[in-house]
Amino acid sequence: MKTFKKMYIEITSVCNLACSFCPPTSRKANIIKLDAFNNILDQIKDHTKYIYLHVKGEPLLHARIDQLLDAAHAKGFKVNITTNGTLIKKNREKLLGKPALRQINFSLHSFDGHEDSENREKYLGDILEFVRDAKEHNTIISYRLWNLQKEATSDLAQRRNRETLEILENEYNLDYRIEEKVQPGKGIKIAQNVYLNQDHEFQWPSLSAPEDEGKGFCHALRSQAAILVDGTVVPCCLDGEGVINLGNINKTPFSEIIESDRANALYDGFTRREAVEEMCRKCGYRQRFGV
């Protein structure tokens, strides 16, 4: 039986922002129902113990996020949530103290990635207030600034990042500038259970992107898999459009889907360091693992 380090469960395909780095999905807007969520948990319980409530969409838009966390806890899962942070104040009581909640990742680059964002101090202030309250529950916090450019980052982007980093430095009484210690793709610990990670701007894979020779490796279906809000199973969290549709968990058991011919061909291909799927050959993230 295949087991995974983590599995992504998309609980909504809807987002409240329109960030430049995140193309909107062409899939139908949808929000998972509690019974469908429980069905997924029952089917994956022997395959992983760690779930991440996102692929596309903003998970804190789900009105019953607290009930989803309770359901996950009842079935023995630990949960990570990645959020743009804009709705954290509204959802604080639904999140604080939930035993299933292991980690929250705040995508701080969402503030500058969304054209209509305003009042950085309030945005970060609401997040920092929540993090202070979450401290007693030992929730792991990861602040993300994934907006670095491969070429020199623009003066405007550097200035915006500096404003954000300065607020964090003041909050945690740091005696250094964060960018002097952090390296792209790696995080630094800035307080107990609190980390900051900077990385280059994320590029979602697309069938319209150029294709390379297909050499390389990926952890898809090896350490992770993902389930979209409509039940579609895909190999990884980067297939936000469900291009590599391996089957639907509402029609076929998950354990059968991940052992299908298409799933095994993808897995075996990466064992040989070959991308057999067109989407994989057009995914730049694969290049991080070398050839």
Side-chain angles (χ1 to χ4, degrees):
M1 178 181 295
K2 288 180 181 175
T3 58
F4 303 98
K5 180 180 178 181
K6 54 191 174 184
M7 280 197 57
Y8 294 84
I9 303 175
E10 182 185 69
I11 60 174
T12 178
S13 57
V14 181
C15 190
N16 61 326
L17 299 184
C19 295
S20 58
F21 55 82
C22 185
T25 178
S26 60
R27 293 182 285 119
K28 179 182 177 182
N30 203 349
I31 295 179
I32 202 168
K33 291 181 170 55
L34 184 59
D35 59 347
F37 184 72
N38 272 305
N39 174 49
I40 290 174
L41 297 184
D42 286 338
Q43 292 199 45
I44 69 172
K45 63 183 178 182
D46 294 328
H47 298 276
T48 191
K49 292 301 178 185
Y50 294 92
I51 56 176
Y52 289 56
L53 300 185
H54 63 96
V55 175
K56 284 292 188 77
E58 167 51 52
L60 297 190
L61 279 173
H62 200 295
R64 298 186 177 182
I65 185 70
D66 52 341
Q67 294 180 34
L68 300 185
L69 288 170
D70 289 341
H73 176 63
K75 296 180 186 297
F77 291 94
K78 288 296 184 181
V79 179
N80 284 28
I81 293 176
T82 295
T83 172
N84 58 44
T86 57
L87 303 174
I88 195 65
K89 190 177 185 71
K90 178 180 178 181
N91 286 278
R92 66 185 307 279
E93 299 304 327
K94 294 181 179 182
L95 301 174
L96 287 172
K98 290 296 183 182
L101 186 57
R102 172 184 176 271
Q103 179 170 329
I104 300 185
N105 306 315
F106 289 101
S107 298
L108 303 185
H109 46 280
S110 300
F111 182 85
D112 292 315
H114 180 68
E115 185 176 345
D116 296 328
S117 293
E118 54 185 31
N119 199 339
R120 186 187 309 271
E121 288 73 19
K122 182 183 185 307
Y123 166 71
L124 289 171
D126 288 346
I127 292 174
L128 292 172
E129 180 182 4
F130 173 86
V131 172
R132 292 184 207 114
D133 293 336
K135 182 177 181 181
E136 64 181 274
H137 303 292
N138 295 317
T139 307
I140 299 171
I141 303 296
S142 176
Y143 299 120
R144 294 177 171 180
L145 273 175
W146 290 3
N147 59 2
L148 300 177
Q149 304 297 317
K150 295 294 184 180
E151 293 76 27
T153 303
S154 70
D155 290 341
L156 176 60
Q158 288 183 6
R159 185 167 69 251
R160 288 172 171 173
N161 278 354
R162 176 93 295 272
E163 292 172 0
T164 294
L165 293 174
E166 185 173 6
I167 291 173
L168 293 176
E169 289 162 0
N170 291 334
E171 171 71 15
Y172 295 103
N173 297 313
L174 303 183
D175 59 0
Y176 57 86
R177 289 165 69 99
I178 289 173
E179 59 263 61
E180 294 174 355
K181 293 197 173 186
V182 71
Q183 297 178 12
K186 298 182 179 180
I188 60 170
K189 183 177 182 179
I190 59 177
Q192 182 65 33
N193 285 335
V194 180
Y195 301 85
L196 183 134
N197 182 284
Q198 280 196 281
D199 207 342
H200 294 103
E201 182 174 311
F202 179 75
Q203 297 292 327
W204 284 90
S206 169
L207 288 178
S208 63
E211 183 174 328
D212 62 24
E213 73 284 357
K215 299 297 183 182
F217 179 78
C218 181
H219 292 282
L221 292 182
R222 201 170 296 266
S223 66
Q224 64 164 286
I227 303 172
L228 303 182
V229 67
D230 67 349
T232 298
V233 177
V234 292
C236 72
C237 63
L238 304 188
D239 190 357
E241 292 304 302
V243 173
I244 308 177
N245 184 341
L246 300 176
N248 193 292
I249 201 169
N250 298 315
K251 300 176 182 178
T252 307
F254 178 76
S255 57
E256 292 183 17
I257 291 174
I258 59 172
E259 293 293 353
S260 66
D261 289 345
R262 189 176 187 182
N264 283 327
L266 184 147
Y267 182 99
D268 293 341
F270 280 125
T271 300
R272 302 189 305 269
R273 308 192 91 78
E274 296 177 4
V276 300
E277 291 280 348
E278 179 184 1
M279 172 67 82
C280 299
R281 293 193 296 271
K282 295 182 175 182
C283 178
Y285 202 83
R286 170 173 46 86
Q287 299 169 359
R288 295 188 177 204
F289 306 111
V291 296

